[in-house]
Amino acid sequence: MNVDDSQVEYRRNGKNCIHGLQLRNSTKPMVLLLHGIGSSADVWWDVLHCLVSAGYEVLAPDMLGHGYSSVPDCTKAYTFPSLLKDTIAIFDKYVPCTELGQCIIIGHSFGCSLAGALARYREQQVVQLVLISGGGPTPLAPPVSSTELSVFGCMQILMKPLLFCGMKRTMFYSSRGKHFNVCEPETAVPAYVLRYISEGQDWPEGDAAFHRRIFIPTLLVHGMQDTSVTLVQECEMERTIPRSFLEVIPAAGHMAMIETPEQLCHMLLCFFQWWTK
């Protein structure tokens, strides 16, 4: 499903734009933090404090059904297009729609897909992008059912531990796309919310062609202990996004912001400062 033009168009005229005045005193871009499935804005606690101490204004919303957000029992509310609309609405509310409005987006896991899409739809305002444990440049797809599991799919599962950057990558990619699971096993998110989000991961537009048109500086962060995302996938993402840079944290897994916050924060600040004009 595509996001309608009416939902991603800029609200430039005075009637629709809520940012008549400059709301922020900081000359630095605002930072928007987007978490993954099963977690909440709390996972950014150390990163948030680091960025605020460095003079950045930070916005860390809870995704629908997570943290302190509402938890409607409605399947359609948790599809990727619906969650993307929510993210765009938050962005438009807090990031000024003037030439003064600039934003850095940081996404984690499933939040990387939201971050990448938002960077494309708001490309005039998003100046930098950070994708942590986001995987390769492949579309989102619902989970594979038992009837769909093919012989080649079994080979992919068996060969996954053997993948390295020097091997032919595309032969191991699922033709259906990638699928994100819950980041934190002991989550307080209701089971029906997790099920709806899992089934709603359908974003065929998010392929390599889509990611090739992300032209802003992009930092890719991968934890070497990550069992959900492979280095191969991250290498392919680096090859796809024109101005992307891959950094690896040896001691981190899928949750670098919790496992190695100091290293991650150092990477972020260096990246922000390097590309400051």
Side-chain angles (χ1 to χ4, degrees), residues 31-35 40-42 44 48 58-63 90:
V31 180
L32 174 61
L33 306 175
L34 302 175
H35 66 79
S40 70
D42 289 344
W44 299 112
L48 190 150
V58 182
L59 177 62
D62 285 320
M63 186 165 56
I90 293 172

Side-chain angles (χ1 to χ4, degrees), residues 83-97:
L83 295 175
L84 177 56
K85 293 173 190 175
D86 294 342
T87 307
I88 291 174
I90 293 172
F91 184 93
D92 288 342
K93 181 175 179 62
Y94 292 101
V95 180
C97 51

Side-chain angles (χ1 to χ4, degrees), residues 217-236:
T218 301
L219 174 65
L220 308 175
V221 180
H222 177 68
M224 284 300 293
Q225 309 304 316
D226 196 337
T227 58
S228 301
V229 176
T230 68
L231 182 57
V232 173
Q233 295 167 339
E234 296 288 2
C235 288
E236 189 64 19

Side-chain angles (χ1 to χ4, degrees), residues 97-142:
C97 51
T98 68
E99 60 183 20
L100 298 175
Q102 293 187 332
C103 184
I104 299 171
I105 304 177
I106 303 178
H108 171 250
S109 192
F110 178 77
C112 290
S113 294
L114 295 172
L118 183 55
R120 280 287 312 276
Y121 291 131
R122 292 293 183 264
E123 58 186 9
Q124 295 182 6
Q125 293 164 281
V126 180
V127 293
Q128 290 171 310
L129 178 64
V130 180
L131 305 178
I132 304 171
S133 302
T138 52
L140 289 179

Side-chain angles (χ1 to χ4, degrees), residues 144-167:
V144 180
S145 65
S146 57
T147 58
E148 294 179 285
L149 192 59
S150 63
V151 174
F152 185 71
C154 294
M155 289 179 59
Q156 288 181 301
I157 296 173
L158 294 173
M159 293 294 291
K160 185 175 180 179
L162 304 179
L163 299 182
F164 295 93
C165 282
M167 299 181 67

Side-chain angles (χ1 to χ4, degrees), residues 1-271:
M1 178 186 295
N2 287 307
V3 177
D4 297 338
D5 292 338
S6 61
Q7 293 154 351
V8 299
E9 68 181 358
Y10 286 96
R11 296 179 292 178
R12 294 297 187 185
N13 60 71
K15 182 178 179 180
N16 294 325
C17 182
I18 64 173
H19 307 290
L21 300 173
Q22 183 177 359
L23 302 180
R24 305 167 58 242
N25 295 322
S26 176
T27 58
K28 295 182 178 180
M30 177 183 286
V31 180
L32 174 61
L33 306 175
L34 302 175
H35 66 79
I37 302 172
S39 56
S40 70
D42 289 344
V43 299
W44 299 112
W45 188 256
D46 292 322
V47 174
L48 190 150
H49 278 271
C50 171
L51 296 179
V52 170
S53 298
Y56 291 92
E57 185 173 1
V58 182
L59 177 62
D62 285 320
M63 186 165 56
L64 186 69
H66 296 66
Y68 289 100
S69 68
S70 58
V71 286
D73 190 353
C74 175
T75 306
K76 294 182 179 179
Y78 300 97
T79 63
F80 180 81
S82 293
L83 295 175
L84 177 56
K85 293 173 190 175
D86 294 342
T87 307
I88 291 174
I90 293 172
F91 184 93
D92 288 342
K93 181 175 179 62
Y94 292 101
V95 180
C97 51
T98 68
E99 60 183 20
L100 298 175
Q102 293 187 332
C103 184
I104 299 171
I105 304 177
I106 303 178
H108 171 250
S109 192
F110 178 77
C112 290
S113 294
L114 295 172
L118 183 55
R120 280 287 312 276
Y121 291 131
R122 292 293 183 264
E123 58 186 9
Q124 295 182 6
Q125 293 164 281
V126 180
V127 293
Q128 290 171 310
L129 178 64
V130 180
L131 305 178
I132 304 171
S133 302
T138 52
L140 289 179
V144 180
S145 65
S146 57
T147 58
E148 294 179 285
L149 192 59
S150 63
V151 174
F152 185 71
C154 294
M155 289 179 59
Q156 288 181 301
I157 296 173
L158 294 173
M159 293 294 291
K160 185 175 180 179
L162 304 179
L163 299 182
F164 295 93
C165 282
M167 299 181 67
K168 182 67 175 178
R169 304 167 178 82
T170 53
M171 67 178 291
F172 293 103
Y173 286 159
S174 168
S175 58
R176 301 179 73 258
K178 61 184 176 184
H179 182 83
F180 289 101
N181 296 315
V182 177
C183 295
E184 298 180 283
E186 297 182 3
T187 178
V189 178
Y192 68 86
V193 172
L194 299 177
R195 184 175 70 255
Y196 292 160
I197 294 179
S198 178
E199 296 170 352
Q201 293 186 47
D202 188 7
W203 185 39
E205 294 81 16
D207 57 7
F210 183 94
H211 287 86
R212 287 192 193 100
R213 295 186 62 81
I214 297 176
F215 298 121
I216 57 175
T218 301
L219 174 65
L220 308 175
V221 180
H222 177 68
M224 284 300 293
Q225 309 304 316
D226 196 337
T227 58
S228 301
V229 176
T230 68
L231 182 57
V232 173
Q233 295 167 339
E234 296 288 2
C235 288
E236 189 64 19
M237 183 67 92
E238 184 184 30
R239 288 163 55 92
T240 303
I241 299 178
R243 301 174 70 188
S244 63
F245 307 87
L246 175 59
E247 293 288 347
V248 174
I249 303 179
H254 194 65
M255 305 289 288
M257 70 287 293
I258 295 177
E259 298 157 340
T260 55
E262 292 184 0
Q263 287 180 268
L264 177 61
C265 289
H266 178 72
M267 283 183 179
L268 295 176
L269 292 178
C270 289
F271 177 69

